[in-house]
Amino acid sequence: MNVFQSPELRYGNVLYEYALSLREISLMVDENPLCINDYFHFPVINFLVSDRDSTALCRTHYLEALSYGDPGSLLACPGPSLSGLMMRTLANPDQINHFYFLLKEKKYRTFFALTEPLKGSDASHIQTQLKKIDENTWSLNGEKSFFGNGAVAEMGIVLAKISDNSLGIRAVLITDELLLQKNISREILPMYALRGAQIACMSFNNTIIPDENILGSHLSACKNSLYSIISVFNQLRTGVGALALGLAQAVFDFVYHLKSSHFFTYASFFHECDAQLSLCRGLLQEAAKRVDLDHADGALASLSKANATAVAENIVERCIALCSVDELMANPWIQKALRDVYCWEFMEGTTHIQKLQSRFTMTGLR
């Protein structure tokens, strides 16, 4: 009995071709993430920078497919990522059009700066401050850390507070012009795994922000608040789970082909892994459908991300345990996959945080 489904059938021919192109450059990107600049002509790049209206379900599907190619290469690429979702939620039409024009025409990388050294990713207690100077300008002060592409991206979103309450959080669009200011410092942090993400820290010291770069001014206080920010994370969370799933599926497929001549020896193992991957995919897709219907409904999204992280680690560890040293040495991408798979636990919230978030969503209790 054959449990293998081809990636072309699972993801479609186009996404599979995109995935292969990311796999092709994966080891080079891992060595030097900035080499992605040499591959902006790849069709997958145009696909990513053109995404301005995808649903959570659509992103869950295509992010799994592209991570099947290589998640490090994917994360090094230009694209809207979380900043794009924030723009779609809080920005006015002119701001949205300008953001996506720069993204597509100039192939800009983007960042999303929430996490802080002293407060972590607790958006309700961030310390970065945005203070009004006059009618047209603001001053931004604070430090952000542990977010992707922060030191190399040409554009991104920074979360800051104008007052100490849930209605006082603002999203600030940082453009290429603003990044030229000398009172913004950026640094790539040393990394062992998933190097394409280029995790960074950034600090602002009386950085001047034009009023038109503050998102949500046209919205009510309720819509331009922490509530909207949480809804954006809900929309992305199944995508992070899909990144973990895509990597695990790729490792499983590799080992399946490697050991296919001894299928009956490993039949029960293959069936068990295939079932875990399929159930994980189904849970992510169901969670994405719920978020698309109601952006505030993040309970299943949180649980599906936590589940995907655990499944990915389990599948990758067990599959690689079947490989001989010679087989691993002959396939450095598989070694890289074992190193990278543990990063998903810390992206967009650990399992503990996801469980707390799910509990809060379902019960209203913290």
Side-chain angles (χ1 to χ4, degrees):
M1 184 183 298
N2 193 333
V3 300
F4 180 74
Q5 182 185 42
S6 71
E8 297 97 325
L9 184 60
R10 185 185 304 116
Y11 303 125
N13 290 328
V14 173
L15 285 177
Y16 180 57
E17 289 298 321
Y18 292 165
L20 289 180
S21 68
L22 294 176
R23 180 76 63 85
E24 176 187 344
I25 62 174
S26 59
L27 297 181
M28 291 182 287
V29 171
D30 192 59
E31 180 70 23
N32 174 23
L34 292 180
C35 82
I36 193 68
N37 297 344
D38 298 329
Y39 302 98
F40 280 3
H41 61 283
F42 277 12
V44 65
I45 301 295
N46 189 61
F47 170 78
L48 290 168
V49 299
S50 299
D51 177 19
R52 60 179 295 170
D53 57 6
S54 62
T55 63
L57 181 60
C58 177
R59 285 189 302 277
T60 300
H61 176 66
Y62 83 63
L63 287 174
E64 180 193 339
L66 299 183
S67 187
Y68 184 93
D70 183 65
S73 298
L74 172 60
L75 293 174
C77 288
S81 191
L82 189 54
S83 289
L85 291 177
M86 190 65 71
M87 293 295 295
R88 286 160 56 178
T89 301
L90 295 178
N92 63 44
D94 288 340
Q95 291 170 324
I96 293 173
N97 289 334
H98 182 61
F99 176 86
Y100 281 100
F101 172 80
L102 292 174
L103 197 65
K104 188 167 185 178
E105 294 301 315
K106 297 189 176 184
K107 304 293 191 294
Y108 274 178
R109 283 161 292 216
T110 60
F111 63 82
F112 184 85
L114 162 63
T115 306
E116 297 184 354
L118 298 180
K119 295 297 181 180
S121 299
D122 183 357
S124 61
H125 291 94
I126 57 175
Q127 295 180 324
T128 299
Q129 293 190 337
L130 186 66
K131 293 185 177 181
K132 200 169 186 66
I133 299 175
D134 55 43
E135 185 177 348
N136 299 313
T137 54
W138 299 71
S139 175
L140 181 64
N141 288 275
E143 186 175 355
K144 298 293 185 178
S145 58
F146 310 123
F147 60 100
N149 289 319
V152 297
E154 297 83 5
M155 185 167 57
I157 300 290
V158 172
L159 292 189
K161 66 177 183 179
I162 59 173
S163 61
D164 292 322
N165 56 65
S166 61
L167 299 179
I169 306 297
R170 291 294 180 270
V172 182
L173 175 61
I174 304 296
T175 59
D176 49 357
E177 295 94 342
L178 294 180
L179 288 171
L180 295 176
Q181 295 186 44
K182 294 182 179 180
N183 50 12
I184 298 178
S185 64
R186 305 195 285 172
E187 178 186 1
I188 299 176
L189 300 175
M191 295 182 66
Y192 171 72
L194 207 63
R195 291 178 179 140
Q198 299 181 90
I199 302 300
C201 58
M202 180 183 294
S203 63
F204 305 89
N205 182 18
N206 293 319
T207 302
I208 301 301
I209 306 294
D211 190 65
E212 61 264 26
N213 287 60
I214 311 301
L215 305 184
S217 300
H218 62 298
L219 300 174
S220 67
C222 183
K223 289 184 177 180
N224 189 23
S225 66
L226 185 60
Y227 173 84
S228 293
I229 293 168
I230 291 173
S231 75
V232 169
F233 279 103
N234 289 341
Q235 294 174 66
L236 183 72
R237 202 155 279 136
T238 58
V240 177
L243 293 173
L245 174 61
L247 180 62
Q249 184 71 61
V251 172
F252 172 77
D253 286 0
F254 169 83
V255 174
Y256 180 89
H257 283 296
L258 193 66
K259 303 296 182 181
S260 59
S261 60
H262 301 89
F263 176 81
F264 290 104
T265 302
Y266 301 106
S268 62
F269 171 79
F270 287 142
H271 281 289
E272 180 187 350
C273 289
D274 182 65
Q276 286 188 49
L277 291 166
S278 296
L279 289 170
C280 177
R281 182 174 297 110
L283 186 62
L284 286 168
Q285 291 175 351
E286 178 60 29
K289 291 176 184 177
R290 292 193 186 185
V291 169
D292 283 333
L293 290 174
D294 179 4
H295 295 340
D297 186 3
L300 191 59
S302 292
L303 293 178
S304 67
K305 187 270 177 179
N307 177 70
T309 296
V311 168
E313 291 179 4
N314 178 265
I315 295 292
V316 171
E317 288 172 357
R318 295 176 66 195
C319 284
I320 289 181
L322 294 182
C323 300
S324 68
V325 173
D326 288 343
E327 289 167 338
L328 292 176
M329 293 300 292
N331 295 278
W333 187 85
I334 294 298
Q335 300 175 49
K336 176 180 174 298
L338 179 61
R339 189 190 68 197
D340 290 349
V341 74
Y342 300 105
C343 296
W344 309 119
E345 170 67 13
F346 304 98
M347 188 175 289
E348 304 303 337
T350 63
T351 295
H352 178 67
I353 296 298
Q354 301 301 341
K355 289 179 178 179
L356 288 176
Q357 181 63 34
S358 180
R359 172 177 175 266
F360 172 66
T361 302
M362 291 187 291
T363 67
L365 300 175
R366 287 193 180 275

